[in-house]
Structures are given as C-alpha cells and as structure tokens.
Amino acid sequence: MTLTVQDLRVTFPLDGKMGLRAVDGVSFDLAPGTSLGIVGETGAGKTTIARALLGLHPPECVQGSIRLDGRELVGLSEEAWRAIRWRRIALVPQSVGTALNPVYRVGDQIAEPMRHHLGLSLAEAWGRSLELARRVGLEPRHLRAYPHQLSGGEKQRALLAMALSCAPDVLILDEPTSGQDMLSRARLLDLLDALRREGGMGLLVISHDLAAVARLTEQVAVLYAGQLVEVGPTAEVFQDPRHPYTWGLLHAYPDMATARDLRGIRGTPPDPANPPPGCRFHPRCTQAIDRCRREEPPLREVGGRWIACHLGGLQTLLRAEGLRKTFSVNGGGPEEQVEAVREATLEIREGEVVALVGETGSGKTTLGQMLVGLLPPDGGRVLLEGRDLTAAKGKERRAMMSRIQLIPQDPFDAVSPRLTVAEIVREPLDIQAIGTPEEREAKVRQALRTVGLPTSPGFLARRAHELSGGQLQRVVLARALVLEPKLLVADEPVSMLDPSEQARVINLLKEIQTERGLALLLISHDLALVRKIADRILVMHRGQIVEEGPGSRVVTRPEHEHTRMLLEVAPRLG
Ligand code: SF4
C-alpha cells in the first residue's frame, strides 16, 4: 500500500465563494513502513491535509489527487470513504479532550470500529481491545472507565488503540504530543517509536513539535501558508535547514541543547484568504528579491533536497577566504612583524547571528575591520553577496560598503565630539549623497526612533559629549542603520557600558536584527554574553580561527583547548 498525494488543494468558501485556499499544491508519497513528518506554524494547513486524507472535507473543497495503492480517493462518496477510514487510513486527532464520547466506556469505544468495520462480535472486539490496550500501555481497568476518569495521556493512548484497532495501512498522528506534560510526552514518544519500528504501516506525523518529528520520522515536509517549502530526510533538514522558513522555524524551537534565547520568525504568517503574491514567505524573508514578490517559486530539487525558493535556499551573505594581515611594530627596537590575522576563512548567512570571540589581541578587531572594508588585507578576499569587496573600486565599492556597517567598540572615539546627534546619524547619507535633505532628515528620525531615542529638536542638537555612554552607543547604532545595511559588524558594542545598559543595548540589537532580518557579526571577548544570542560561534586565538560551530555545541562541547579555557574563565554568579 502506498499513499500518493499529488497537487492537493483544499479551498473553503469565503463570502459565499470558494476563496480560502488552505492547502495549495501539496504532493508527497508515503510507502508502507516509512514515516513522514509535516511541520509548520499553526494555521499552515497541516490539519487540513490530515482531514483531506480521511475525506472529512466537503467534496467540492478538495482538488488534486489522493491515491491509495493506485485507487483515487478524491471524489469518493461518503459511503466509500467510510470503508477507507479506520481500516485503511486512521487518525489520532489533536483534541483528545473531545475525541472520546463521554457517555460510553473507553473499551466500548475502542471495540466499536472493529465491530463496525471488521464485523467482530462484542466479545471478540473486547478481547482485541484488551490486546490493544496492553500494546499502548493501558490497563484493563482503563477500558472499563469513562473518558472523564482518564488522564490526558491515557486518553491519548485510548485514541491510539482505537486508531490501531483495524490495523490501518496509514496512521496519521495529528499533534500527538500537544498538551502533554514532559514525562507523559516522553513515554508516548517511546511507545510511538516502538510502533513505528514494528513497521508495516505508513506513519504521518503532523506537528509543530519538531523534536517529536525528529524522533518519529525519516522524511520531513515543511509547510508554509498551505505550500511545501522544503522536503528531505528529517535528520538532514533539521541539521542543515536550507529554506529560510525552515531555518527560522528551527531557531524558534526551544531546545535543551542550546543556551541561546528563543528567536521568533519576524512578522506573522499570512492570512490564508489573502496570501501575498509571489513567494508567500517573502514579507518575512531576509533575502527576498524583486522576483520573490512577483513569481511563486516551484518546489524543485536542489542538491538532494526539495526546496521552493528562487535562490535555491538560504544564501551566504558574506564569505571571507584566507584573510591575512601582518603589522610592523617597533617598540623602540628593530622592526618586528606581527601576524594579526592568519588565513581566516568564514561565512555569514543571511539573517544569521555569528559571534567571533577571543581574548584581547587575538586578532578579532583586525579581522572585523577587514570584513567591513576598512582595512585592506595582505592576502585573501572578502565576497559580499558573491561580489569581491576587496577588489571593488570607486562607486561600486562605496555601494558595497554601505551594505555592511560597523558598530565600533568605543562610540566616543568613533564620532567627532563637535557633531550634533542629527549630524552624526546623517553623515553616512551625506557621504553617499542619498536622498533630498528632507528625505535624509526623515531617515535620521526613523533610525533614532528604531533605537529608542527621542527625535525632539533639543535632542537632535545635542553634541556627542553631552550624551551618556548608553545614549551615544544607540546614536552610533542609528548611524549604522540609516543606510539600511544587510550586515552589522558590532565590535564589543557594550564593553564600555554597565551591565544593565549592556543588557538593554544587546536586547535592542537583537530585536533590530530580527525585525529587519539583518545578519549580525558580534565581536566579543565575552562567551557568557554571545551564547545568549549567537547561532554560530567562531573562536579566535593568536590570529587564527581555532574553532567554529553552532553556539549550543561550542559552549557545551568545546573542541579546542582555548575555547575550554575561555569557558572556564567566563563570569559565573556563584
Ligand atoms: Fe521566498 Fe525569495 Fe525568500 Fe526564497 S528568497 S524564500 S523565494 S522570498
């Protein structure tokens, strides 16, 4: 038995017409003994797919094809669907609280599908119910009980026993872990995993619980606004998400292995009655281009993965290859060569937060300055959006440099004390000759509002030395944002501030990064700080990048001796 879904579309009436496309062009196969997870935010259309597979929508709402062993199910009569449900395709629904009938004993409800669909007598069906109860971890007393006498976890098992009662070819689990406490969830997952390993059935797991999907499925399909955006082997997709939405979904998931704060996907899912044109994810995507606003990207194979993205998935924003920098120093004696940066290679992806950590003098600031184009490297190159920044000249170079902005370590050093707030923030616009004077003023005010500063004439006329450290750091951040960059390189942006102001500025930086979809390279000596926000951590020591990995891995299982040392000396309260 293979379930083959092709170009499934489910459209509901809206204002008297068929207008709400909840599922749009979904295709997948489910063979016996295999498992598929469908993941996505609430409202993506996951449950609508499950209900379509059971013929639970009005027939006029469902188009496309659902075939079971080659037999078309779309368009079947209600009577024909009744022969499919339970026997061929069974569902464990999400709402366990209401799925059982409160006036019948649980055992009668498990026995009912076997009596109805398999023609068993009451005694035979009860006998099989006892077997099923044992299989799902229920006791005989649970069968004699009424639903209100069972806990949520026990009800879930009873529904699972019902779904298994007619030995279906396909078992659909709709949010199997929702509403379960952690212990019940763990036991349920053990049980479901054991059932999966018994083989035979095709298992479809629909859930926003990514860890449950990781445990129970071999393949995963990521659903966004009714459309599949990424499909591939579950372990590979979760380890290395390629679609920007999958990446965001995984970063929003609370994972015990990471110390990073949760990061939501910016914006909200679209209204299914009025989805945006082109790629439905484009209003939330950090790398959207014009084409994304016009054309819908098809799901196509890219390097062994199916991805719906005009750009083939998540892009590398900046790539540095083999950067080198040597300084000549003369401390009163003969000239000496100091290799500040040696063969540094790194990548920053669209919308990613990368931390570059190391002690003072490790070469991080020099590397940061080469990345933003302020310091020419002795060797190697920097590619920004695929173009060579190191080789670019004149206008092209200025335009490229405006895409990367540096937030310097000491804001008092970075700006002239004679300039007013308005002049500090406006200066990059003046240099790049962007907009009319009125447009520049509007951009200055907007940037100041973004960083939470006033825009009153009095504040705009203040000079740098009249501001507190925290205020000036925000002004410098507004100056960096006014050119609408794609990447912010923040060099120890809070090291001059007290801990409370540090937390405020870091939270602000993070908020702006998420809202604007910027990539952020945070240069810091403070592992305790960067572990809260970094997706990836690079560790620098004596001019070299000695370790690189996901933030959660680097801080919990450091591989390089120097990283271990940095972790040991990181500040701890108690
Ligand atoms: Fe969609 Fe374009 Fe973003 Fe790809 S780059 S996910 S097509 S908006």
Side-chain angles (χ1 to χ4, degrees), residues 555-567:
V555 296
T556 52
R557 284 170 283 121
E559 284 169 2
H560 194 274
E561 194 188 328
H562 188 70
T563 315
R564 280 194 283 275
M565 198 271 285
L566 288 176
L567 280 166

PDB file of all heavy atoms in Angstrom, residues 555-567:
ATOM      1  N   VAL A 555      29.552  25.880  23.258  1.00  0.00           N
ATOM      2  CA  VAL A 555      29.574  26.157  24.698  1.00  0.00           C
ATOM      3  C   VAL A 555      29.358  24.905  25.550  1.00  0.00           C
ATOM      4  O   VAL A 555      29.717  24.883  26.717  1.00  0.00           O
ATOM      5  CB  VAL A 555      28.566  27.258  25.127  1.00  0.00           C
ATOM      6  CG1 VAL A 555      28.913  28.577  24.509  1.00  0.00           C
ATOM      7  CG2 VAL A 555      27.149  26.869  24.810  1.00  0.00           C
ATOM      8  N   THR A 556      28.794  23.850  24.968  1.00  0.00           N
ATOM      9  CA  THR A 556      28.585  22.647  25.786  1.00  0.00           C
ATOM     10  C   THR A 556      29.657  21.585  25.527  1.00  0.00           C
ATOM     11  O   THR A 556      30.035  20.854  26.432  1.00  0.00           O
ATOM     12  CB  THR A 556      27.191  22.010  25.525  1.00  0.00           C
ATOM     13  OG1 THR A 556      27.044  21.817  24.119  1.00  0.00           O
ATOM     14  CG2 THR A 556      26.076  22.878  26.058  1.00  0.00           C
ATOM     15  N   ARG A 557      30.145  21.512  24.281  1.00  0.00           N
ATOM     16  CA  ARG A 557      31.175  20.510  23.961  1.00  0.00           C
ATOM     17  C   ARG A 557      32.309  21.154  23.173  1.00  0.00           C
ATOM     18  O   ARG A 557      32.515  20.862  21.995  1.00  0.00           O
ATOM     19  CB  ARG A 557      30.549  19.360  23.153  1.00  0.00           C
ATOM     20  CG  ARG A 557      29.723  18.398  24.002  1.00  0.00           C
ATOM     21  CD  ARG A 557      28.938  17.428  23.161  1.00  0.00           C
ATOM     22  NE  ARG A 557      27.775  18.051  22.584  1.00  0.00           N
ATOM     23  CZ  ARG A 557      27.518  18.147  21.292  1.00  0.00           C
ATOM     24  NH1 ARG A 557      28.329  17.659  20.416  1.00  0.00           N
ATOM     25  NH2 ARG A 557      26.416  18.739  20.849  1.00  0.00           N
ATOM     26  N   PRO A 558      33.052  22.059  23.833  1.00  0.00           N
ATOM     27  CA  PRO A 558      34.127  22.733  23.108  1.00  0.00           C
ATOM     28  C   PRO A 558      35.185  21.732  22.659  1.00  0.00           C
ATOM     29  O   PRO A 558      35.487  20.779  23.390  1.00  0.00           O
ATOM     30  CB  PRO A 558      34.696  23.705  24.147  1.00  0.00           C
ATOM     31  CG  PRO A 558      34.291  23.137  25.466  1.00  0.00           C
ATOM     32  CD  PRO A 558      33.000  22.437  25.256  1.00  0.00           C
ATOM     33  N   GLU A 559      35.737  21.960  21.470  1.00  0.00           N
ATOM     34  CA  GLU A 559      36.723  21.008  20.959  1.00  0.00           C
ATOM     35  C   GLU A 559      38.149  21.518  21.114  1.00  0.00           C
ATOM     36  O   GLU A 559      39.081  20.744  21.251  1.00  0.00           O
ATOM     37  CB  GLU A 559      36.432  20.725  19.470  1.00  0.00           C
ATOM     38  CG  GLU A 559      35.239  19.805  19.318  1.00  0.00           C
ATOM     39  CD  GLU A 559      34.740  19.712  17.892  1.00  0.00           C
ATOM     40  OE1 GLU A 559      35.340  20.325  16.984  1.00  0.00           O
ATOM     41  OE2 GLU A 559      33.713  19.024  17.690  1.00  0.00           O
ATOM     42  N   HIS A 560      38.313  22.844  21.092  1.00  0.00           N
ATOM     43  CA  HIS A 560      39.671  23.378  21.185  1.00  0.00           C
ATOM     44  C   HIS A 560      39.988  23.774  22.625  1.00  0.00           C
ATOM     45  O   HIS A 560      39.130  24.290  23.345  1.00  0.00           O
ATOM     46  CB  HIS A 560      39.809  24.583  20.242  1.00  0.00           C
ATOM     47  CG  HIS A 560      41.231  24.984  20.011  1.00  0.00           C
ATOM     48  ND1 HIS A 560      41.911  25.836  20.843  1.00  0.00           N
ATOM     49  CD2 HIS A 560      42.112  24.611  19.039  1.00  0.00           C
ATOM     50  CE1 HIS A 560      43.142  26.013  20.382  1.00  0.00           C
ATOM     51  NE2 HIS A 560      43.288  25.268  19.290  1.00  0.00           N
ATOM     52  N   GLU A 561      41.225  23.548  22.959  1.00  0.00           N
ATOM     53  CA  GLU A 561      41.694  23.846  24.321  1.00  0.00           C
ATOM     54  C   GLU A 561      41.442  25.310  24.703  1.00  0.00           C
ATOM     55  O   GLU A 561      41.050  25.625  25.829  1.00  0.00           O
ATOM     56  CB  GLU A 561      43.199  23.571  24.300  1.00  0.00           C
ATOM     57  CG  GLU A 561      43.858  23.475  25.641  1.00  0.00           C
ATOM     58  CD  GLU A 561      45.364  23.391  25.415  1.00  0.00           C
ATOM     59  OE1 GLU A 561      45.781  22.822  24.372  1.00  0.00           O
ATOM     60  OE2 GLU A 561      46.073  23.911  26.256  1.00  0.00           O
ATOM     61  N   HIS A 562      41.635  26.217  23.729  1.00  0.00           N
ATOM     62  CA  HIS A 562      41.459  27.642  24.036  1.00  0.00           C
ATOM     63  C   HIS A 562      39.985  27.966  24.327  1.00  0.00           C
ATOM     64  O   HIS A 562      39.693  28.777  25.197  1.00  0.00           O
ATOM     65  CB  HIS A 562      41.970  28.489  22.869  1.00  0.00           C
ATOM     66  CG  HIS A 562      41.992  29.948  23.192  1.00  0.00           C
ATOM     67  ND1 HIS A 562      42.882  30.493  24.101  1.00  0.00           N
ATOM     68  CD2 HIS A 562      41.201  30.971  22.775  1.00  0.00           C
ATOM     69  CE1 HIS A 562      42.647  31.785  24.211  1.00  0.00           C
ATOM     70  NE2 HIS A 562      41.621  32.103  23.417  1.00  0.00           N
ATOM     71  N   THR A 563      39.067  27.306  23.609  1.00  0.00           N
ATOM     72  CA  THR A 563      37.636  27.524  23.883  1.00  0.00           C
ATOM     73  C   THR A 563      37.327  27.054  25.305  1.00  0.00           C
ATOM     74  O   THR A 563      36.601  27.720  26.051  1.00  0.00           O
ATOM     75  CB  THR A 563      36.765  26.734  22.883  1.00  0.00           C
ATOM     76  OG1 THR A 563      37.287  26.903  21.580  1.00  0.00           O
ATOM     77  CG2 THR A 563      35.327  27.180  22.920  1.00  0.00           C
ATOM     78  N   ARG A 564      37.868  25.897  25.659  1.00  0.00           N
ATOM     79  CA  ARG A 564      37.633  25.379  27.023  1.00  0.00           C
ATOM     80  C   ARG A 564      38.128  26.378  28.059  1.00  0.00           C
ATOM     81  O   ARG A 564      37.483  26.630  29.070  1.00  0.00           O
ATOM     82  CB  ARG A 564      38.329  24.022  27.197  1.00  0.00           C
ATOM     83  CG  ARG A 564      37.526  22.876  26.596  1.00  0.00           C
ATOM     84  CD  ARG A 564      38.047  21.525  27.083  1.00  0.00           C
ATOM     85  NE  ARG A 564      39.262  21.154  26.393  1.00  0.00           N
ATOM     86  CZ  ARG A 564      39.300  20.532  25.221  1.00  0.00           C
ATOM     87  NH1 ARG A 564      38.192  20.197  24.628  1.00  0.00           N
ATOM     88  NH2 ARG A 564      40.450  20.247  24.644  1.00  0.00           N
ATOM     89  N   MET A 565      39.275  26.973  27.778  1.00  0.00           N
ATOM     90  CA  MET A 565      39.842  27.936  28.707  1.00  0.00           C
ATOM     91  C   MET A 565      38.932  29.178  28.809  1.00  0.00           C
ATOM     92  O   MET A 565      38.640  29.650  29.900  1.00  0.00           O
ATOM     93  CB  MET A 565      41.237  28.332  28.194  1.00  0.00           C
ATOM     94  CG  MET A 565      42.137  28.979  29.201  1.00  0.00           C
ATOM     95  SD  MET A 565      41.887  30.719  29.198  1.00  0.00           S
ATOM     96  CE  MET A 565      42.706  31.201  27.691  1.00  0.00           C
ATOM     97  N   LEU A 566      38.427  29.648  27.666  1.00  0.00           N
ATOM     98  CA  LEU A 566      37.520  30.815  27.683  1.00  0.00           C
ATOM     99  C   LEU A 566      36.253  30.507  28.479  1.00  0.00           C
ATOM    100  O   LEU A 566      35.725  31.350  29.201  1.00  0.00           O
ATOM    101  CB  LEU A 566      37.133  31.222  26.255  1.00  0.00           C
ATOM    102  CG  LEU A 566      38.207  31.898  25.396  1.00  0.00           C
ATOM    103  CD1 LEU A 566      37.676  32.147  23.995  1.00  0.00           C
ATOM    104  CD2 LEU A 566      38.676  33.216  26.016  1.00  0.00           C
ATOM    105  N   LEU A 567      35.776  29.266  28.348  1.00  0.00           N
ATOM    106  CA  LEU A 567      34.568  28.882  29.089  1.00  0.00           C
ATOM    107  C   LEU A 567      34.841  28.823  30.579  1.00  0.00           C
ATOM    108  O   LEU A 567      34.001  29.216  31.394  1.00  0.00           O
ATOM    109  CB  LEU A 567      34.063  27.519  28.599  1.00  0.00           C
ATOM    110  CG  LEU A 567      33.264  27.553  27.299  1.00  0.00           C
ATOM    111  CD1 LEU A 567      33.106  26.161  26.724  1.00  0.00           C
ATOM    112  CD2 LEU A 567      31.895  28.188  27.525  1.00  0.00           C
TER     113      LEU A 567
END
